Amino acid sequence: LEVLGGAIGPFGDRSLAGRRLQDIVPADVREPLATALAHAAAAGHAEPLEVTLDGGNQDLELRFVGIADGEVLVLARDIAVRK
């Protein structure tokens, strides 16, 4: 995992670089996130995914774009205001 950009949720912390995704996200988010990542890597994009993290304190919309062979860019947006 390569972490770039700002500090949104657990994904903005550069200390997470190189760690496995399943070690970072909560159990209920792992499967849908892994599915979206795999789809984006294969098809170039995936449907946005809304997740709740930090014990229900943070709502994020994740967007996925395949950018190179097996690489996926994930954009995270805080949607708490919208909810």
Side-chain angles (χ1 to χ4, degrees):
L1 177 66
E2 183 176 0
V3 180
L4 303 172
I8 263 191
F11 307 110
D13 185 348
R14 293 188 188 282
S15 69
L16 300 176
R19 294 187 51 199
R20 296 178 338 155
L21 191 60
Q22 55 266 42
D23 296 336
I24 297 169
V25 298
D28 63 327
V29 175
R30 289 180 195 146
E31 185 176 331
L33 184 56
T35 299
L37 287 168
H39 190 272
H45 62 86
E47 292 295 315
L49 177 64
E50 290 187 11
V51 297
T52 300
L53 303 173
D54 193 23
N57 294 322
Q58 188 165 41
D59 294 308
L60 299 176
E61 177 187 72
L62 306 177
R63 294 188 175 259
F64 306 87
V65 180
I67 56 173
D69 293 334
E71 293 184 3
V72 177
L73 172 67
V74 180
L75 303 171
R77 180 170 63 167
D78 188 336
I79 59 169
V81 174
R82 187 170 79 188
K83 288 188 155 199

Coordinates of all heavy atoms in Angstrom, one line a residue:
L1 N 0.9 -1.2 0.0 CA 0.0 0.0 0.0 C 0.9 1.2 0.0 O 1.8 1.4 0.8 CB -0.9 0.0 1.2 CG -1.8 1.2 1.4 CD1 -2.9 1.2 0.3 CD2 -2.5 1.0 2.8
E2 N 0.7 2.1 -1.0 CA 1.4 3.4 -1.0 C 0.4 4.5 -0.6 O -0.6 4.6 -1.3 CB 2.0 3.6 -2.4 CG 2.8 4.9 -2.4 CD 3.5 5.1 -3.8 OE1 3.3 4.2 -4.7 OE2 4.2 6.1 -3.9
V3 N 0.7 5.2 0.4 CA -0.2 6.3 0.9 C 0.3 7.6 0.4 O 1.4 8.0 0.7 CB -0.3 6.2 2.4 CG1 -1.2 7.3 2.9 CG2 -0.7 4.8 2.9
L4 N -0.5 8.3 -0.3 CA -0.2 9.7 -0.8 C -1.3 10.6 -0.5 O -2.5 10.2 -0.4 CB 0.0 9.7 -2.3 CG 1.1 8.7 -2.9 CD1 1.1 8.7 -4.4 CD2 2.5 9.1 -2.4
G5 N -1.0 11.9 -0.4 CA -2.1 12.8 -0.2 C -2.4 13.2 1.2 O -1.5 13.0 2.1
G6 N -3.6 13.8 1.4 CA -3.9 14.4 2.7 C -4.3 13.4 3.8 O -4.2 12.2 3.6
A7 N -4.8 13.9 4.9 CA -5.1 13.0 6.0 C -6.5 12.8 6.2 O -7.2 13.4 7.0 CB -4.5 13.6 7.3
I8 N -7.1 11.9 5.4 CA -8.5 11.5 5.5 C -8.5 10.1 6.0 O -8.0 9.2 5.4 CB -9.2 11.6 4.1 CG1 -10.0 12.9 4.1 CG2 -10.2 10.5 3.9 CD1 -10.9 13.1 2.9
G9 N -9.2 9.9 7.1 CA -9.3 8.6 7.7 C -8.0 7.9 7.8 O -7.0 8.5 8.0
P10 N -8.0 6.5 7.9 CA -6.8 5.8 8.1 C -5.9 5.8 6.9 O -4.7 5.4 6.9 CB -7.3 4.4 8.4 CG -8.5 4.3 7.6 CD -9.2 5.7 7.7
F11 N -6.4 6.3 5.7 CA -5.6 6.2 4.5 C -4.6 7.4 4.3 O -3.8 7.3 3.5 CB -6.5 6.2 3.3 CG -7.6 5.1 3.4 CD1 -8.9 5.4 3.6 CD2 -7.2 3.8 3.4 CE1 -9.8 4.4 3.8 CE2 -8.1 2.7 3.5 CZ -9.4 3.1 3.7
G12 N -4.7 8.4 5.1 CA -3.9 9.6 4.9 C -2.6 9.5 5.8 O -1.7 10.4 5.7
D13 N -2.5 8.5 6.6 CA -1.4 8.4 7.5 C -0.2 7.7 6.8 O -0.3 6.5 6.4 CB -1.8 7.6 8.7 CG -0.7 7.4 9.8 OD1 0.4 7.8 9.5 OD2 -1.1 7.0 10.9
R14 N 0.9 8.4 6.5 CA 2.0 7.8 5.8 C 2.7 6.6 6.5 O 3.4 5.9 5.9 CB 3.0 8.9 5.4 CG 2.4 9.9 4.5 CD 3.5 10.9 4.0 NE 2.9 11.9 3.2 CZ 2.5 11.9 2.0 NH1 2.6 10.7 1.3 NH2 2.0 12.9 1.3
S15 N 2.4 6.5 7.8 CA 3.0 5.4 8.5 C 2.4 4.0 8.1 O 2.9 3.0 8.4 CB 2.9 5.5 10.0 OG 1.5 5.4 10.4
L16 N 1.3 4.1 7.3 CA 0.7 2.9 6.8 C 1.3 2.4 5.5 O 1.0 1.3 5.1 CB -0.8 3.2 6.6 CG -1.6 3.6 7.8 CD1 -3.0 4.0 7.4 CD2 -1.6 2.6 8.8
A17 N 2.2 3.1 4.9 CA 2.8 2.7 3.7 C 3.4 1.3 3.8 O 4.1 1.1 4.8 CB 3.8 3.7 3.2
G18 N 3.2 0.4 2.9 CA 3.8 -0.9 2.9 C 3.0 -1.9 3.7 O 3.3 -3.1 3.6
R19 N 1.9 -1.5 4.4 CA 1.2 -2.4 5.2 C 0.1 -3.1 4.3 O -0.3 -2.5 3.3 CB 0.5 -1.7 6.4 CG 1.6 -1.3 7.3 CD 1.1 -0.7 8.6 NE 0.2 -1.5 9.3 CZ -0.7 -1.1 10.2 NH1 -0.6 0.2 10.5 NH2 -1.5 -1.9 10.8
R20 N -0.4 -4.2 4.8 CA -1.5 -4.9 4.0 C -2.8 -4.3 4.3 O -3.1 -3.9 5.4 CB -1.5 -6.4 4.4 CG -0.3 -7.1 4.1 CD -0.3 -8.6 4.5 NE -1.2 -8.9 5.6 CZ -1.7 -10.1 5.8 NH1 -1.4 -11.1 5.1 NH2 -2.5 -10.3 6.9
L21 N -3.6 -4.2 3.3 CA -4.9 -3.5 3.4 C -5.8 -4.1 4.5 O -6.4 -3.5 5.2 CB -5.6 -3.5 2.0 CG -6.8 -2.7 1.9 CD1 -6.5 -1.2 2.1 CD2 -7.5 -2.9 0.5
Q22 N -5.7 -5.5 4.5 CA -6.6 -6.2 5.5 C -6.1 -5.9 6.9 O -6.9 -6.1 7.9 CB -6.6 -7.7 5.2 CG -5.3 -8.3 5.1 CD -4.8 -8.5 3.7 OE1 -4.9 -7.5 2.9 NE2 -4.3 -9.6 3.4
D23 N -4.9 -5.3 7.1 CA -4.5 -5.0 8.5 C -4.9 -3.5 8.8 O -4.7 -3.1 10.0 CB -3.0 -5.1 8.6 CG -2.5 -6.5 8.4 OD1 -3.3 -7.5 8.6 OD2 -1.3 -6.7 8.0
I24 N -5.4 -2.8 7.9 CA -5.7 -1.4 8.1 C -7.2 -1.1 8.3 O -7.6 -0.3 9.1 CB -5.1 -0.5 6.9 CG1 -3.6 -0.7 6.8 CG2 -5.5 0.9 7.1 CD1 -3.0 -0.1 5.6
V25 N -8.0 -1.7 7.4 CA -9.4 -1.4 7.5 C -10.2 -2.4 8.3 O -9.8 -3.5 8.5 CB -10.0 -1.4 6.0 CG1 -9.4 -0.3 5.2 CG2 -9.9 -2.7 5.4
P26 N -11.3 -1.9 8.9 CA -12.2 -2.8 9.7 C -12.7 -4.0 8.9 O -12.8 -4.0 7.7 CB -13.4 -1.9 10.1 CG -12.9 -0.5 9.8 CD -11.9 -0.6 8.8
A27 N -13.0 -5.1 9.6 CA -13.4 -6.3 9.0 C -14.6 -6.2 8.1 O -14.6 -6.8 7.0 CB -13.7 -7.4 10.1
D28 N -15.5 -5.4 8.4 CA -16.7 -5.2 7.6 C -16.5 -4.5 6.3 O -17.3 -4.5 5.4 CB -17.9 -4.6 8.4 CG -17.6 -3.2 8.8 OD1 -16.4 -2.9 9.1 OD2 -18.5 -2.4 8.9
V29 N -15.4 -3.8 6.2 CA -15.0 -3.0 5.0 C -14.1 -3.8 4.0 O -14.0 -3.6 2.8 CB -14.4 -1.7 5.4 CG1 -13.9 -0.9 4.2 CG2 -15.4 -0.9 6.2
R30 N -13.4 -4.8 4.6 CA -12.4 -5.5 3.8 C -12.9 -6.1 2.5 O -12.3 -5.9 1.4 CB -11.8 -6.6 4.6 CG -10.9 -6.1 5.7 CD -10.3 -7.2 6.5 NE -9.7 -6.5 7.8 CZ -9.7 -7.1 8.9 NH1 -10.2 -8.4 9.1 NH2 -9.3 -6.5 10.0
E31 N -13.9 -6.9 2.5 CA -14.4 -7.6 1.3 C -14.9 -6.6 0.3 O -14.5 -6.7 -0.9 CB -15.5 -8.6 1.7 CG -15.9 -9.4 0.5 CD -16.9 -10.5 0.8 OE1 -16.9 -11.0 1.9 OE2 -17.6 -10.9 -0.1
P32 N -15.8 -5.7 0.6 CA -16.2 -4.8 -0.5 C -15.1 -3.9 -1.0 O -15.0 -3.6 -2.2 CB -17.3 -3.9 0.2 CG -17.4 -4.3 1.6 CD -16.5 -5.5 1.8
L33 N -14.1 -3.5 -0.2 CA -13.0 -2.8 -0.6 C -12.1 -3.6 -1.5 O -11.7 -3.1 -2.6 CB -12.2 -2.2 0.6 CG -11.0 -1.3 0.3 CD1 -11.4 -0.1 -0.6 CD2 -10.4 -0.9 1.6
A34 N -11.8 -4.8 -1.1 CA -11.0 -5.7 -2.0 C -11.6 -6.0 -3.3 O -11.0 -6.0 -4.4 CB -10.7 -7.0 -1.2
T35 N -13.0 -6.2 -3.3 CA -13.7 -6.4 -4.6 C -13.6 -5.2 -5.5 O -13.3 -5.3 -6.7 CB -15.2 -6.7 -4.3 OG1 -15.2 -7.9 -3.5 CG2 -16.0 -6.9 -5.6
A36 N -13.8 -4.0 -4.9 CA -13.7 -2.7 -5.7 C -12.3 -2.5 -6.3 O -12.1 -2.1 -7.4 CB -14.1 -1.5 -4.9
L37 N -11.3 -2.8 -5.5 CA -9.9 -2.7 -5.9 C -9.6 -3.6 -7.1 O -9.0 -3.3 -8.1 CB -8.9 -2.9 -4.8 CG -8.8 -1.8 -3.7 CD1 -8.1 -2.3 -2.5 CD2 -8.2 -0.6 -4.3
A38 N -10.0 -4.9 -6.9 CA -9.8 -5.9 -8.0 C -10.5 -5.5 -9.2 O -9.9 -5.6 -10.3 CB -10.2 -7.3 -7.5
H39 N -11.7 -5.0 -9.1 CA -12.5 -4.6 -10.3 C -11.8 -3.4 -11.0 O -11.7 -3.4 -12.2 CB -13.9 -4.3 -9.9 CG -14.8 -4.1 -11.1 ND1 -15.0 -2.9 -11.7 CD2 -15.6 -5.0 -11.8 CE1 -15.8 -3.0 -12.8 NE2 -16.2 -4.3 -12.8
A40 N -11.4 -2.5 -10.2 CA -10.7 -1.3 -10.8 C -9.4 -1.7 -11.5 O -9.1 -1.1 -12.5 CB -10.5 -0.2 -9.7
A41 N -8.7 -2.6 -10.9 CA -7.4 -3.0 -11.5 C -7.6 -3.7 -12.8 O -6.9 -3.6 -13.8 CB -6.7 -4.0 -10.5
A42 N -8.7 -4.5 -12.9 CA -9.0 -5.3 -14.1 C -9.8 -4.4 -15.2 O -9.5 -4.5 -16.4 CB -9.9 -6.5 -13.8
A43 N -10.7 -3.6 -14.7 CA -11.6 -2.9 -15.7 C -11.2 -1.4 -15.8 O -11.8 -0.7 -16.7 CB -13.0 -3.0 -15.2
G44 N -10.4 -0.9 -15.0 CA -10.0 0.5 -15.1 C -10.8 1.4 -14.2 O -10.4 2.6 -14.0
H45 N -11.9 0.9 -13.6 CA -12.7 1.7 -12.7 C -13.6 0.8 -11.9 O -13.8 -0.4 -12.2 CB -13.5 2.8 -13.4 CG -14.5 2.1 -14.4 ND1 -15.8 1.7 -14.0 CD2 -14.4 1.8 -15.7 CE1 -16.4 1.2 -15.0 NE2 -15.6 1.2 -16.1
A46 N -14.2 1.3 -10.8 CA -15.2 0.6 -10.1 C -16.2 1.5 -9.5 O -16.0 2.7 -9.5 CB -14.5 -0.2 -8.9
E47 N -17.4 1.0 -9.2 CA -18.4 1.9 -8.6 C -17.9 2.5 -7.3 O -17.1 1.8 -6.5 CB -19.7 1.1 -8.3 CG -20.4 0.6 -9.5 CD -20.9 1.7 -10.4 OE1 -21.5 2.6 -9.8 OE2 -20.7 1.7 -11.6
P48 N -18.3 3.7 -7.0 CA -17.9 4.3 -5.7 C -18.4 3.4 -4.5 O -19.4 2.8 -4.7 CB -18.6 5.7 -5.7 CG -18.9 6.0 -7.1 CD -19.1 4.6 -7.8
L49 N -17.7 3.5 -3.5 CA -18.0 2.7 -2.3 C -18.1 3.6 -1.1 O -17.2 4.4 -0.9 CB -16.9 1.7 -2.0 CG -17.0 0.8 -0.8 CD1 -18.2 -0.2 -0.9 CD2 -15.7 -0.1 -0.7
E50 N -19.2 3.6 -0.3 CA -19.3 4.4 0.9 C -19.0 3.5 2.1 O -19.5 2.4 2.2 CB -20.7 4.9 1.0 CG -21.0 6.0 0.0 CD -22.3 6.8 0.2 OE1 -23.0 6.6 1.3 OE2 -22.7 7.5 -0.7
V51 N -18.1 3.9 2.9 CA -17.7 3.2 4.1 C -17.8 4.1 5.3 O -17.7 5.3 5.3 CB -16.3 2.6 4.0 CG1 -16.2 1.6 2.8 CG2 -15.3 3.7 3.8
T52 N -18.0 3.4 6.5 CA -18.0 4.1 7.8 C -16.8 3.5 8.5 O -16.7 2.3 8.7 CB -19.3 3.9 8.5 OG1 -20.4 4.4 7.7 CG2 -19.3 4.6 9.9
L53 N -16.0 4.4 9.0 CA -14.8 4.0 9.8 C -14.7 4.7 11.1 O -15.6 5.5 11.5 CB -13.5 4.4 9.0 CG -13.4 3.9 7.6 CD1 -12.2 4.5 6.9 CD2 -13.3 2.4 7.6
D54 N -13.7 4.4 11.9 CA -13.5 5.0 13.2 C -14.7 4.9 14.1 O -15.1 5.8 14.7 CB -13.1 6.5 13.0 CG -12.5 7.1 14.2 OD1 -12.0 6.4 15.1 OD2 -12.6 8.4 14.3
G55 N -15.2 3.6 14.2 CA -16.3 3.4 15.1 C -17.6 4.1 14.8 O -18.4 4.4 15.6
G56 N -17.7 4.4 13.5 CA -18.9 5.2 13.1 C -18.8 6.7 13.1 O -19.8 7.4 12.8
N57 N -17.6 7.1 13.3 CA -17.4 8.6 13.4 C -17.0 9.2 12.1 O -16.9 10.4 12.0 CB -16.3 8.9 14.5 CG -16.8 8.6 15.9 OD1 -18.0 8.8 16.2 ND2 -15.9 8.1 16.7
Q58 N -16.7 8.4 11.1 CA -16.2 9.0 9.8 C -16.8 8.2 8.7 O -16.7 7.0 8.5 CB -14.7 8.9 9.7 CG -14.2 9.7 8.5 CD -12.7 9.9 8.6 OE1 -12.0 9.0 9.0 NE2 -12.3 11.1 8.2
D59 N -17.5 9.0 7.8 CA -18.2 8.4 6.6 C -17.3 8.9 5.4 O -17.1 10.1 5.2 CB -19.6 8.9 6.5 CG -20.5 8.4 7.6 OD1 -20.5 7.2 7.8 OD2 -21.2 9.2 8.3
L60 N -16.9 7.9 4.6 CA -16.1 8.2 3.4 C -16.8 7.7 2.2 O -17.4 6.6 2.2 CB -14.7 7.6 3.5 CG -13.8 8.1 4.7 CD1 -12.5 7.3 4.7 CD2 -13.6 9.6 4.6
E61 N -16.6 8.4 1.1 CA -16.9 7.9 -0.3 C -15.5 7.6 -0.9 O -14.7 8.5 -1.0 CB -17.7 8.9 -1.1 CG -17.9 8.4 -2.5 CD -18.5 9.4 -3.4 OE1 -17.8 10.4 -3.7 OE2 -19.7 9.3 -3.6
L62 N -15.4 6.4 -1.4 CA -14.1 6.0 -2.0 C -14.4 5.8 -3.5 O -15.4 5.1 -3.9 CB -13.6 4.6 -1.4 CG -13.4 4.6 0.1 CD1 -12.9 3.2 0.5 CD2 -12.4 5.7 0.5
R63 N -13.6 6.4 -4.3 CA -13.6 6.2 -5.8 C -12.4 5.5 -6.3 O -11.3 5.8 -5.8 CB -13.8 7.5 -6.5 CG -15.2 8.1 -6.1 CD -15.5 9.4 -7.0 NE -16.8 9.8 -6.7 CZ -17.8 9.6 -7.5 NH1 -17.7 8.9 -8.6 NH2 -19.0 10.1 -7.2
F64 N -12.5 4.6 -7.2 CA -11.4 3.8 -7.7 C -11.1 4.0 -9.2 O -12.0 3.9 -10.0 CB -11.7 2.3 -7.4 CG -12.1 2.0 -6.0 CD1 -13.4 2.2 -5.6 CD2 -11.2 1.6 -5.1 CE1 -13.8 1.9 -4.3 CE2 -11.6 1.4 -3.8 CZ -12.9 1.5 -3.4
V65 N -9.8 4.2 -9.5 CA -9.4 4.3 -10.9 C -8.2 3.5 -11.1 O -7.2 3.7 -10.5 CB -9.1 5.8 -11.3 CG1 -8.7 5.9 -12.7 CG2 -10.3 6.7 -11.0
G66 N -8.3 2.6 -12.1 CA -7.1 1.8 -12.5 C -6.1 2.7 -13.2 O -6.5 3.4 -14.2
I67 N -4.9 2.8 -12.8 CA -4.0 3.8 -13.4 C -2.8 3.1 -14.2 O -2.1 3.8 -15.0 CB -3.4 4.8 -12.4 CG1 -2.7 4.1 -11.3 CG2 -4.5 5.7 -11.9 CD1 -2.0 5.1 -10.3
A68 N -2.5 1.9 -13.9 CA -1.4 1.2 -14.5 C -1.6 -0.3 -14.3 O -2.6 -0.7 -13.6 CB -0.1 1.6 -14.0
D69 N -0.7 -1.1 -14.8 CA -0.8 -2.6 -14.6 C -0.9 -2.9 -13.1 O 0.0 -2.9 -12.4 CB 0.3 -3.3 -15.2 CG 0.4 -3.2 -16.7 OD1 -0.7 -3.0 -17.3 OD2 1.5 -3.3 -17.3
G70 N -2.1 -3.3 -12.7 CA -2.3 -3.7 -11.3 C -2.3 -2.6 -10.3 O -2.4 -2.8 -9.1
E71 N -2.2 -1.3 -10.7 CA -2.2 -0.2 -9.8 C -3.6 0.5 -9.8 O -4.1 0.7 -10.9 CB -1.1 0.8 -10.1 CG 0.3 0.2 -9.9 CD 1.4 1.3 -10.1 OE1 1.0 2.4 -10.4 OE2 2.5 0.9 -10.0
V72 N -4.0 0.9 -8.6 CA -5.3 1.5 -8.5 C -5.2 2.8 -7.6 O -4.6 2.7 -6.6 CB -6.4 0.6 -7.9 CG1 -7.7 1.3 -7.7 CG2 -6.6 -0.7 -8.7
L73 N -5.7 3.9 -8.1 CA -5.8 5.1 -7.4 C -7.1 5.2 -6.6 O -8.1 4.9 -7.2 CB -5.7 6.3 -8.3 CG -5.9 7.7 -7.7 CD1 -4.8 8.0 -6.7 CD2 -6.0 8.7 -8.8
V74 N -7.1 5.4 -5.3 CA -8.3 5.5 -4.5 C -8.4 6.9 -4.0 O -7.5 7.4 -3.4 CB -8.3 4.5 -3.4 CG1 -9.6 4.6 -2.6 CG2 -8.1 3.1 -3.8
L75 N -9.5 7.5 -4.4 CA -9.8 8.9 -3.9 C -10.8 8.8 -2.8 O -11.8 8.2 -2.9 CB -10.3 9.8 -5.0 CG -9.4 9.9 -6.2 CD1 -10.1 10.6 -7.4 CD2 -8.1 10.6 -5.9
A76 N -10.5 9.3 -1.6 CA -11.4 9.3 -0.5 C -11.9 10.7 -0.2 O -11.2 11.6 -0.1 CB -10.7 8.7 0.7
R77 N -13.2 10.7 0.0 CA -13.9 12.0 0.3 C -14.7 11.9 1.5 O -15.5 11.0 1.6 CB -14.7 12.5 -0.9 CG -15.4 13.8 -0.6 CD -16.1 14.3 -1.9 NE -17.1 13.4 -2.4 CZ -18.0 13.8 -3.3 NH1 -17.9 14.9 -3.9 NH2 -18.9 12.9 -3.6
D78 N -14.6 12.8 2.5 CA -15.4 12.8 3.7 C -16.8 13.3 3.3 O -17.0 14.3 2.8 CB -14.8 13.8 4.7 CG -15.5 13.7 6.1 OD1 -16.6 13.3 6.1 OD2 -14.8 14.1 7.0
I79 N -17.8 12.4 3.6 CA -19.2 12.7 3.2 C -20.1 12.8 4.4 O -21.3 12.8 4.3 CB -19.8 11.7 2.2 CG1 -19.7 10.3 2.9 CG2 -19.0 11.7 0.9 CD1 -20.5 9.2 2.1
A80 N -19.5 13.1 5.6 CA -20.2 13.2 6.8 C -21.3 14.3 6.8 O -22.4 14.2 7.2 CB -19.3 13.4 8.0
V81 N -20.9 15.4 6.1 CA -21.8 16.5 6.0 C -23.0 16.2 5.2 O -24.2 16.6 5.5 CB -21.1 17.8 5.4 CG1 -22.1 18.9 5.1 CG2 -20.0 18.2 6.3
R82 N -22.8 15.4 4.2 CA -23.9 15.0 3.3 C -24.9 14.0 4.0 O -26.0 13.9 3.7 CB -23.3 14.3 2.0 CG -24.3 13.9 1.0 CD -23.7 13.5 -0.3 NE -23.2 12.1 -0.1 CZ -22.5 11.5 -1.0 NH1 -22.1 12.1 -2.1 NH2 -22.2 10.2 -0.9
K83 N -24.4 13.3 5.0 CA -25.2 12.3 5.7 C -25.8 13.0 6.8 O -26.7 12.9 7.5 CB -24.4 11.1 6.1 CG -24.0 10.2 5.0 CD -23.4 9.0 5.5 CE -23.6 7.9 4.5 NZ -23.5 6.6 4.9

